[in-house]
Amino acid sequence: MMNLKKILVCAMDIGALMLSNGAGVSRVEDTIERICRAYGAKNVEVFSITSSILTTVTTKEGDVFTQTKRIKQHAIDFKKLDELNALSRHICFARPGIQFINDEIERIDKIEAYTLPIRSAISALIAGVFTIFFGGGIMEAVIAAMAGFIGCVLMHFLNKYNANEIFSNFLTIFMVGSIAIIAVHFRLAGNYGHIIIGNIMLLVPGVGFVNSIRDVIGGDTIAGMIRLCEVIVIAVFLAGGSFAALMLWEGIL
Amino acid sequence: MMTNLIQLLSAFLGAFGFSILFNLHGRKLYFASVGGLLSYGSYLLTAQWNGSDFIPYFSAAIVATAYAEIGARILRSPATVFLMAGIIPLVPGGSLYYTMQYAVTKQWHLFAPQGERTIIIAAALAAGIMMMSSAKRVYDGIRWHCKN
């Protein structure tokens, strides 16, 4: 059936968008299967990991369609995820036409995040707050907040020009570490460790770490292991970046 | 007592900040931020009775997941949206950092216990989340079964 072929394409678009905006693997598989079944597919097989989706649909007439999708960029945006969830519910319930679904997907994809000044200010707040949370003093929190603000702006420009994720994390934490060590050298703060930890909370993929173990316990072993590897590599580079800053400035100061 | 209050306030503000970075708005934003306060509060409460790492983080994760599932039902969003903010104050970011610090500086006698602690916390959080979301799925199944 011609129609089901187009529905498969729509469902895959929705699934890929959900995955790149922070949905779990099992949720994406579930959504694609429900949408295809709502339009009369006899059998739907979906397999997904964090970077790819593979779906095969069998129609009632016995035709078989397969599509794969590769997801390269991940950026958590719960507003988009929320709207996609509402859309997929609506699709399963009301079964609208292809044109409507495509328009909605395009609209959701264009939803804006908060502006850069707001995000930088919020990054500063988070860095300062977590410095205090992990035992730092007021002056340390202020310096961590400044570093967090500059770090967010730096991260934004690196992402804009397609920098590698590990490279931009390394560079950002290197800059944060340098600010912390210089501030401690001039007696503005007592302990550079607290300043760095406050900022690391912003960058460390803690949520990814918990999610990876959740995937493994939930039965999606491959997806969980891939995510775990990503997390460990990023954590090693974050530690490496801050210690590169420490070694460099100890030699100079 | 004072430290606990400061930590609770920072947990709330941290969850609020991350919810904004994750692009939440309006009622959902406030609901998610309160999740951070609630989960860290229940961590502090259980940590008073139980000195280990596992039980307090495990029960805090259960509270955070239950809160997120209730929020998902009331505000009609996926539970992940509220779960992430609730989990943020519990995430072992500091511990993960110290583990890596000991590895980079080759202090292997400190690396092993710190690494173990990080893994235990992460496993406790994951187990708590899985426990509660599986229970919710069973509950939904029973309700569906009774209706039909």
Side-chain angles (χ1 to χ4, degrees):
Chain A
M1 208 163 87
M2 207 49 213
N3 196 20
L4 199 58
K5 213 172 188 172
K6 285 180 180 159
I7 287 299
L8 173 63
V9 174
C10 287
M12 289 292 271
D13 284 344
I14 292 175
L17 216 50
M18 283 176 87
L19 201 54
S20 67
N21 283 308
V25 165
S26 55
R27 184 165 203 100
V28 171
E29 291 180 351
D30 197 47
T31 302
I32 293 175
E33 185 172 342
R34 275 168 198 262
I35 291 176
C36 291
R37 279 195 194 281
Y39 284 83
K42 188 179 156 211
N43 209 347
V44 187
E45 308 284 351
V46 193
F47 173 73
S48 172
I49 55 176
T50 39
S51 55
S52 158
I53 312 175
L54 169 64
T55 308
T56 298
V57 173
T58 313
T59 64
K60 291 211 169 78
E61 291 81 32
D63 293 330
V64 179
F65 306 127
T66 297
Q67 196 195 349
T68 57
K69 207 133 191 139
R70 175 82 167 87
I71 289 91
K72 286 192 173 151
Q73 279 197 325
H74 289 274
I76 298 179
D77 187 327
F78 284 152
K79 172 99 175 153
K80 286 184 190 174
L81 188 58
D82 202 17
E83 299 258 340
L84 286 166
N85 187 54
L87 174 63
S88 71
R89 267 170 196 267
H90 178 71
I91 290 173
C92 293
F93 175 70
R95 286 194 267 163
I98 307 276
Q99 188 59 41
F100 173 82
I101 301 175
N102 280 331
D103 289 349
E104 279 290 289
I105 292 173
E106 202 170 319
R107 179 184 69 80
I108 291 170
D109 196 24
K110 282 188 184 139
I111 290 176
E112 299 264 327
Y114 284 92
T115 54
L116 180 63
I118 293 178
R119 274 186 293 134
S120 306
I122 289 297
S123 299
L125 173 79
I126 294 172
V129 155
F130 276 112
T131 303
I132 291 176
F133 188 82
F134 285 108
I138 295 290
M139 265 324 281
E140 283 158 357
V142 170
I143 289 163
M146 276 165 47
F149 189 93
I150 300 169
C152 182
V153 175
L154 178 64
M155 205 67 162
H156 176 80
F157 282 104
L158 287 173
N159 284 342
K160 198 171 164 188
Y161 298 111
N162 296 325
N164 175 303
E165 193 187 351
I166 287 168
F167 172 73
S168 50
N169 272 320
F170 183 86
L171 215 59
T172 308
I173 202 69
F174 181 82
M175 189 218 54
V176 168
S178 304
I179 290 176
I181 290 159
I182 292 170
V184 169
H185 181 77
F186 289 109
R187 307 272 158 97
L188 293 171
N191 185 337
Y192 58 79
H194 289 145
I195 300 174
I196 294 176
I197 287 182
N199 278 284
I200 273 209
M201 282 304 279
L202 268 175
L203 299 170
V204 92
V207 171
F209 190 36
V210 172
N211 267 343
S212 70
I213 293 178
R214 200 173 141 204
D215 282 343
V216 171
I217 295 179
D220 294 314
T221 316
I222 298 177
M225 281 303 164
I226 292 172
R227 215 194 284 252
L228 189 64
C229 288
E230 286 173 7
V231 168
I232 290 173
V233 170
I234 290 178
V236 167
F237 271 85
L238 285 179
S242 51
F243 286 100
L246 182 62
M247 282 165 200
L248 176 72
W249 290 105
E250 260 185 353
I252 294 175
L253 295 173
Chain B
M1 194 60 210
M2 198 56 200
T3 356
N4 285 355
L5 278 180
I6 289 173
Q7 283 201 318
L8 276 177
L9 184 66
S10 351
F12 173 75
L13 285 175
F16 174 77
F18 269 101
S19 304
I20 286 190
L21 289 189
F22 293 158
N23 205 13
L24 279 178
H25 296 258
R27 280 199 304 163
K28 285 169 186 165
L29 174 60
Y30 300 119
F31 196 89
S33 320
V34 172
L37 180 73
L38 204 67
S39 68
Y40 197 72
S42 59
Y43 163 76
L44 284 177
L45 216 60
T46 25
Q48 306 242 309
W49 301 319
N50 195 310
S52 74
D53 276 329
F54 189 85
I55 298 292
Y57 280 102
F58 178 71
S59 52
I62 286 186
V63 169
T65 316
Y67 181 79
E69 294 285 0
I70 293 169
R73 179 63 57 87
I74 298 174
L75 296 172
R76 293 178 181 282
S77 279
T80 334
V81 171
F82 306 113
L83 183 59
M84 287 309 151
I87 291 296
I88 289 273
L90 306 171
V91 154
S95 192
L96 196 62
Y97 171 73
Y98 283 123
T99 312
M100 285 304 150
Q101 174 182 354
Y102 295 141
V104 173
T105 54
K106 294 183 183 162
Q107 292 172 285
W108 299 116
H109 60 291
L110 293 172
F111 169 79
Q114 191 70 47
E116 192 186 310
R117 185 158 185 263
T118 310
I119 291 170
I120 286 178
I121 294 174
L125 292 180
I129 294 169
M130 277 312 294
M131 194 74 107
M132 199 61 215
S133 41
S134 305
K136 194 249 174 190
R137 205 175 291 178
V138 172
Y139 169 77
D140 281 349
I142 292 173
R143 254 177 42 135
W144 189 84
H145 195 78
C146 290
K147 257 189 208 164
N148 292 280

